Amino acid sequence: MDHNHGQFNNTVNILGLNFPALNYPYTLDLFKQWITSREPHQVCIANVHTVVTSLTDKALRDINNQSLITMDGLPLVWYAKAVHGAIIKERVCGPELMLRCLDEGRTHGWKHFFLGGKDEVLTDLVSAMQSRFPGVDIVDWHSPPFRPLSAQEDEQLVALINQHQPDFLWVGLGAPKQEKWIAAHLQQVKVPVQIGVGAAFDFHSGHIQRAPEWMQKSGLEWLFRMLQDRRLIKRYCATNPVFLALFFRDFVMVNFRKMLA
């Protein structure tokens, strides 16, 4: 499974997760190679919540480290720079990556399948993407029930996806559910690029407003989302302070070692 890391010379370890240094053009080139080889790969879009959850959720940590993992949250970029002195030009975030793949895919004939979200979100997402990227090839979409699927439903879903032979499977089931679903089905689902994109479906369908550009660039996107969706307050209050404390600890340690050196 761990075939992704061999090709990355410089990875940055953030609290137990190994992030390769990525940007959008490089990531899209990688997807091209995967699509040519038809081998299934998982992509994990990680933010502070993912990183902190992975500290206690070993299954999620393993999934992330066996996949191609991207820095979605700006705080992760700050950590990589401050603690590791990493040179990172940009973060690779889910909603933006999705738009670039849909756009770029038109010239390559890439086929897309959307899984997750409510019916009305998916319907709006598909029409929004088709009008934004004329000629984009969205082969099908499916809104699964919120309860766990029966074995038969699960088989039918895998068959439905495979029958369309997409190049991209975009999964919007929320983290870490989407990561675990992709990992559990990675060998049965014959799709080269399988990505959990969380709230991207809600953003691009127009169901949830995305934070203004300046908030995205200054690392305040989580604050904007929290003000919109009260349910996120609990999540952010559980994970953000933990991340900040560990960031501070590691930053102090690194600088302490430099002083002693």
Side-chain angles (χ1 to χ4, degrees):
M1 270 285 294
D2 209 323
H3 46 252
N4 289 321
H5 289 306
Q7 52 191 307
F8 299 113
N9 305 330
N10 48 348
T11 57
V12 175
N13 187 294
I14 301 180
L15 306 178
L17 298 188
N18 296 309
F19 288 86
L22 298 173
N23 57 25
Y24 291 109
Y26 182 82
T27 308
L28 263 73
D29 274 347
L30 206 52
F31 293 170
K32 273 182 209 144
Q33 293 167 30
W34 294 355
I35 290 165
T36 307
S37 75
R38 300 308 299 169
E39 277 282 307
H41 296 81
Q42 177 165 7
V43 181
C44 293
I45 309 284
N47 54 20
V48 167
H49 178 247
T50 315
V51 171
V52 174
T53 306
S54 296
L55 290 169
T56 50
D57 185 335
K58 188 187 179 299
L60 182 62
R61 184 167 69 242
D62 291 344
I63 289 168
N64 276 294
N65 280 331
Q66 286 159 3
S67 307
L68 178 74
I69 179 171
T70 83
M71 286 182 207
D72 178 78
L74 258 187
L76 301 185
V77 176
W78 299 337
Y79 181 105
K81 288 180 172 175
V83 175
H84 295 292
I87 297 160
I88 293 160
K89 307 247 188 321
E90 61 186 357
R91 62 187 184 136
V92 174
C93 77
E96 176 65 22
L97 183 63
M98 183 174 165
L99 292 179
R100 291 188 187 217
C101 291
L102 290 168
D103 185 12
E104 172 104 3
R106 293 183 293 171
T107 52
H108 302 291
W110 289 344
K111 298 191 286 189
H112 305 272
F113 190 108
F114 298 153
L115 171 64
K118 300 188 183 102
D119 271 320
E120 59 270 26
V121 171
L122 283 174
T123 316
D124 291 345
L125 174 67
V126 171
S127 57
M129 294 302 95
Q130 284 169 339
S131 62
R132 188 164 176 177
F133 305 116
V136 67
D137 194 357
I138 299 165
V139 287
D140 205 357
W141 54 95
H142 179 73
S143 169
F146 278 105
R147 54 173 175 77
L149 299 182
S150 69
Q152 189 189 1
E153 286 171 325
D154 199 64
E155 272 172 41
Q156 285 169 339
L157 177 54
V158 169
L160 172 71
I161 297 166
N162 286 337
Q163 153 202 333
H164 289 287
Q165 299 181 318
D167 301 295
F168 287 83
L169 175 64
W170 300 98
V171 186
L173 297 172
K177 191 177 164 187
Q178 58 198 14
E179 283 71 30
K180 292 182 174 178
W181 190 92
I182 294 172
H185 296 82
L186 193 61
Q187 296 315 313
Q188 299 134 275
V189 175
K190 309 281 181 236
V191 181
V193 190
Q194 304 184 32
I195 310 184
V197 282
F201 288 7
D202 290 321
F203 293 144
H204 297 328
S205 62
H207 282 250
I208 290 183
Q209 193 195 346
R210 188 126 191 244
E213 193 82 8
W214 71 268
M215 284 185 100
Q216 293 178 38
K217 289 206 161 90
S218 53
L220 290 173
E221 192 165 6
W222 61 275
L223 183 63
F224 186 85
R225 286 194 61 198
M226 193 167 79
L227 294 170
Q228 275 185 316
D229 186 348
R230 301 279 177 228
R231 287 171 313 172
L232 292 172
I233 294 177
K234 198 171 133 198
R235 178 178 119 174
Y236 288 130
C237 289
T239 54
N240 285 14
V242 175
F243 180 78
L244 285 172
L246 295 172
F247 187 169
F248 182 70
R249 175 200 71 182
D250 294 349
F251 182 69
V252 169
M253 285 295 294
V254 160
N255 286 289
F256 185 63
R257 284 198 200 107
K258 277 183 195 155
M259 274 165 43
L260 295 178

